[in-house]
Amino acid sequence: MMDKKSFGTWVAEALDRIPAEFQAAMKNVAIVVKDRPGPEADDEEGEADSEEGLYGLYQGIPLPDRSVDDSGIPPDVIFLYQKPLEEDFPDREDLVREIEITIVHEIAHYFGFDEETLERYGYD
């Protein structure tokens, strides 16, 4: 297993590969790397127990669901779970690609996108 700094470098590389329109529209979103899912994942309906594991999690209010009452809220957070990603993707290039896919999937929750929109961008 690698250290957080090395993993963070690969997260940055994955972020650079994300379509520009996704990058430009991500305002007030923090990306947090954790070893494994913790209490933040407890509210998700069984996701942490899925057979594939949990690689990432979006926590916040999707843009389409926001109102003026939501101004001043803390930043939305995308959690990335380092250990499950490393365990399932030992090859560096596969790992960076899966980090990219995971981030895009979580960004899709932020934007309120559905799976069809992700497919149009090549993330199915």
Side-chain angles (χ1 to χ4, degrees):
M1 298 294 157
M2 72 186 69
D3 60 51
K4 286 241 190 283
K5 184 176 180 181
S6 298
F7 190 81
T9 300
W10 292 3
V11 170
E13 184 179 325
L15 283 168
D16 286 344
R17 294 167 40 164
I18 291 173
E21 54 269 37
F22 283 71
Q23 292 179 25
M26 283 182 56
K27 305 289 186 230
N28 208 27
V29 177
I31 296 180
V32 175
V33 175
K34 295 184 74 175
D35 283 342
R36 297 197 179 275
E40 74 282 348
D42 290 345
D43 293 339
E44 299 306 307
E45 299 169 16
E47 279 192 55
D49 298 325
S50 74
E51 288 179 28
E52 296 178 83
L54 186 63
Y55 302 138
L57 178 70
Y58 165 75
Q59 199 171 59
I61 301 171
L63 290 178
D65 297 341
R66 293 189 184 186
S67 70
V68 291
D69 294 334
D70 296 320
S71 63
I73 60 171
D76 293 55
V77 178
I78 293 174
F79 291 98
L80 289 177
Y81 301 116
Q82 181 176 345
K83 300 291 186 224
L85 283 161
E86 288 178 334
E87 289 164 359
D88 290 349
F89 300 92
D91 176 78
R92 180 195 173 282
E93 189 57 34
D94 291 344
L95 176 61
V96 172
R97 175 66 178 153
E98 188 58 36
I99 292 169
E100 176 187 355
I101 290 168
T102 300
I103 292 171
V104 168
H105 180 84
E106 301 311 327
I107 291 169
H109 291 301
Y110 168 73
F111 287 128
F113 289 170
D114 58 19
E115 294 299 319
E116 290 175 8
T117 304
L118 284 177
E119 287 175 19
R120 286 198 301 269
Y121 281 93
Y123 293 100
D124 46 354

